[in-house]
Amino acid sequence: MRRLALAVVATALLMTPLSASAQSLTEAQARAVIAPWYALFNQPVQGDMRTLQEQVLTADYESCWGYLSGECWRRDASIKVVGGFAKSIPDMKFDVKEVIVAGDRVVVRGEVTGTPAGDLFGVPHSGKSFRIMAIDIQTIRDGKIARTYHVENWLSALGQLRGK
């Protein structure tokens, strides 16, 4: 099922026309650009979150997980959200499992693990850990991440934390 979903995403990306300014990345180049971004999710972060994000994200960066108002945020909001993981999930880790490159786009299949320090999304603190899958589609521009479309399976995390 995961391979099918990843294949569908990769096919859609490969069939989407790239603009004339779009760069074509090798896998090694793509991994070099995205590595500092994913390092920000591996807690604890070493350094100032704002400075670190400014180094890896374009000034007009946008992160989206849907189409409704409020389901996309800019770089300043991202700094707060990613920084919030340090408090809510202090041992969070993001393990990149697979990378697919299509022009200026990088599809990342990863695994997020952690143990919440308190209540998470309304689930009372229990000391339990979780492991979820995440899929990101990163658009790279001028050596930085310009846009992220992301899906994380937080419902699975909540089920694990509830013990179901």
Side-chain angles (χ1 to χ4, degrees):
M1 184 70 165
R2 291 189 294 197
R3 288 194 184 273
L4 176 61
L6 208 57
V8 169
V9 170
T11 301
L13 286 173
L14 291 171
M15 298 186 78
T16 302
L18 298 173
S19 68
S21 65
Q23 55 189 334
S24 186
L25 300 167
T26 66
E27 184 176 334
Q29 290 169 325
R31 284 181 179 273
V33 170
I34 65 169
W37 171 247
Y38 290 103
L40 293 174
F41 292 92
N42 294 324
Q43 303 297 332
V45 172
Q46 302 298 315
D48 175 63
M49 184 62 68
R50 175 173 297 282
T51 301
L52 294 168
Q53 285 207 31
E54 288 173 351
Q55 292 171 355
V56 298
L57 304 176
T58 62
D60 62 344
Y61 172 77
E62 187 174 54
S63 177
C64 298
W65 68 94
Y67 297 107
L68 298 175
S69 176
E71 291 183 333
C72 291
W73 62 59
R74 305 296 299 225
R75 187 169 73 183
D76 283 343
S78 178
I79 292 166
K80 292 175 186 169
V81 170
V82 176
F85 285 127
K87 292 179 184 162
S88 61
I89 311 169
D91 67 343
M92 183 174 174
K93 298 289 179 222
F94 191 108
D95 184 23
V96 174
K97 298 290 188 182
E98 188 172 6
V99 172
I100 299 171
V101 181
D104 67 340
R105 295 194 181 110
V106 181
V107 179
V108 177
R109 180 180 63 83
E111 181 178 272
V112 180
T113 58
T115 307
D119 295 357
L120 185 69
F121 301 122
V123 174
H125 181 259
S126 66
K128 294 180 182 176
S129 299
F130 67 87
R131 181 180 77 163
I132 62 172
M133 182 179 19
I135 305 281
D136 294 334
I137 302 172
Q138 309 281 12
T139 301
I140 309 301
R141 187 176 70 234
D142 300 326
K144 293 185 175 186
I145 301 171
R147 174 172 284 144
T148 302
Y149 291 105
H150 57 98
V151 178
E152 299 89 16
N153 192 350
W154 288 108
L155 287 176
S156 178
L158 299 180
Q160 293 168 54
L161 296 172
R162 285 187 181 121
K164 296 182 179 183

